[in-house]
Amino acid sequence: MDPKTLPAVFDGHNDVLLRLYRAGGPAAAETFLTGDAGHIDLPKARAGGLGGGFFAVYVPSEGGEDNEEAMAQDSYDLPLPPPEPQDRALTVAMAQVATLERLEELGALKICRSAAEIHISMVEHKLAAILHMEGAEAIDPEMITLDVLHGAGLRSLGPVWSRPTIFGEGVPFRYPSDGDTGGGLTDLGVALVRRCNALKIMIDLSHMTMAGFWDVARQSDAPLVATHSNAHAICPHARNLTDAQLEAIAASDGMVGLNYATAFLRPDGRMIDTGLDDMLRHLDHLLGKLGETRVGLGSDFDGAMIPSAIGSAAGLPALRAAMTAHGYGPELIERICHGNWLRVLEKTWGH
């Protein structure tokens, strides 16, 4: 299947900046152009028809977070790392932002600040990148760094990854469980949501506790969005969204990006390989609860184990072929692949 004849994919979440940070930061950016062992690079993006996505800035814990072996078990409840100091988090985050800027300098992508820029970049077959932060550890209580990062192009932010921040709590990697695992937004978290609303920075609900989700729903005047989360009704993992949460997202005219991480797809919650049929089950459920204009893709490329039938960004045609074989029509597939992301971003950003 020729990716040039398929609708381009705009993806809700990748961790390529973390992978490049670990490989040397901006100095490693050129490997993105030539190809390497990761899920996303320029050759793989072109081979799979990846038109762009959310490029996450994520600060790894100093002790590491290699949880795949534990998450391959029948059940698990992994302890969360302690909070990250803001000074260290800011240093790591700046290195990843600089890496994204270096990729733009090299002509690998365009950092987009509006839905119109994303559309133009995709038409011109240049990778469209949204600067996103997964966890707000780098943001100071006065939010001066938020303003500076917004000036650098930050347009999407998750107040937490899974470990706690000064802004709120995140869900642990726990199966079986729902997201009712801890507290919600702090007073600073409420202030962060309001400041993001004022700056038109999209708020990502992925990784938030159930309490935090409902706090954002009460405080935010923007569409509710989870960039890379799945349906709890299919896989009862703490990271997945309940039907009540999905209904709130639908009521706000927001959306959800399907996460490819196998532990959040498989009904048994195990981080082992799985087939595309599990992805389709989640898509069916999300479409049923959210409607055809509020479901997209949020791969977690370079951040998780994904189905071997996809393997990397180069394997995206397999997912589109599976959607076609499942009975999804061309218009729905185009919406899932990129149209719905452009819709919700234009509504959130106002342009």
Side-chain angles (χ1 to χ4, degrees), residues 17-307:
L17 297 179
L18 172 64
R19 179 167 60 76
L20 293 174
Y21 167 75
R22 287 170 164 159
E30 292 191 15
T31 64
F32 186 85
L33 278 70
T34 56
D36 54 28
H39 288 155
I40 295 183
D41 53 44
L42 203 53
K44 293 187 184 79
R46 289 172 174 163
L50 179 67
F54 290 69
F55 283 63
V57 171
Y58 167 71
V59 178
S61 298
E62 286 197 272
E65 300 129 9
D66 187 7
N67 296 326
E68 283 191 1
E69 184 176 347
M71 291 176 68
Q73 307 307 310
D74 292 335
S75 64
Y76 45 85
D77 184 4
L78 306 184
L80 289 173
E84 280 294 310
Q86 194 255 336
D87 54 352
R88 175 184 179 267
L90 183 59
T91 299
V92 175
M94 289 302 97
Q96 293 183 30
V97 174
T99 302
L100 186 64
E101 291 176 339
R102 178 61 179 151
L103 290 172
E104 186 175 55
E105 290 171 4
L106 292 168
L109 51 77
K110 164 70 175 173
I111 301 173
C112 296
R113 294 163 170 81
S114 68
E117 286 186 352
I118 295 170
H119 179 74
I120 292 167
S121 292
M122 291 177 68
V123 168
E124 294 177 348
H125 301 290
K126 175 164 279 192
L127 205 57
I130 294 175
L131 175 54
H132 166 75
M133 292 197 78
E134 184 177 30
E137 285 90 349
I139 307 299
D140 59 288
E142 295 75 28
M143 299 180 209
I144 295 168
T145 48
L146 182 69
D147 290 348
V148 174
L149 286 164
H150 178 261
L154 183 72
R155 293 296 181 272
S156 176
L157 178 144
V160 298
W161 170 66
S162 279
R163 67 191 162 219
T165 70
I166 60 173
F167 303 106
E169 294 185 33
V171 292
F173 294 91
R174 179 187 296 173
Y175 178 92
S177 179
D178 59 21
D180 189 13
T181 62
L185 294 177
T186 63
D187 289 345
L188 279 174
V190 171
L192 178 67
V193 168
R194 291 175 177 167
R195 184 63 184 152
C196 284
N197 282 171
L199 292 172
K200 304 296 185 184
I201 295 173
M202 193 191 83
I203 299 160
D204 181 15
L205 295 163
S206 303
H207 289 280
M208 297 203 74
T209 61
M210 194 176 288
F213 176 100
W214 294 114
D215 284 344
V216 173
R218 282 188 290 270
Q219 297 294 334
S220 179
D221 61 15
L224 300 176
V225 177
T227 61
H228 58 304
S229 295
N230 293 341
H232 189 271
I234 306 297
C235 169
H237 196 290
R239 269 283 281 111
N240 288 340
L241 297 165
T242 65
D243 285 353
Q245 290 173 304
L246 295 176
E247 288 161 7
I249 290 170
S252 76
D253 202 17
M255 69 174 287
V256 174
L258 177 78
N259 192 321
Y260 303 1
T262 61
F264 311 145
L265 289 168
R266 294 175 57 94
D268 64 7
R270 299 180 68 196
M271 188 73 88
I272 58 176
D273 196 20
T274 197
L276 301 186
D277 53 341
D278 279 336
M279 301 182 79
L280 294 167
R281 288 189 193 100
H282 282 271
L283 283 174
D284 283 346
H285 191 85
L286 294 172
L287 289 164
K289 294 297 179 182
L290 298 168
E292 293 190 356
T293 62
R294 302 187 188 96
V295 179
L297 302 174
S299 68
D300 219 346
F301 279 146
D302 283 321
M305 178 186 291
I306 65 169

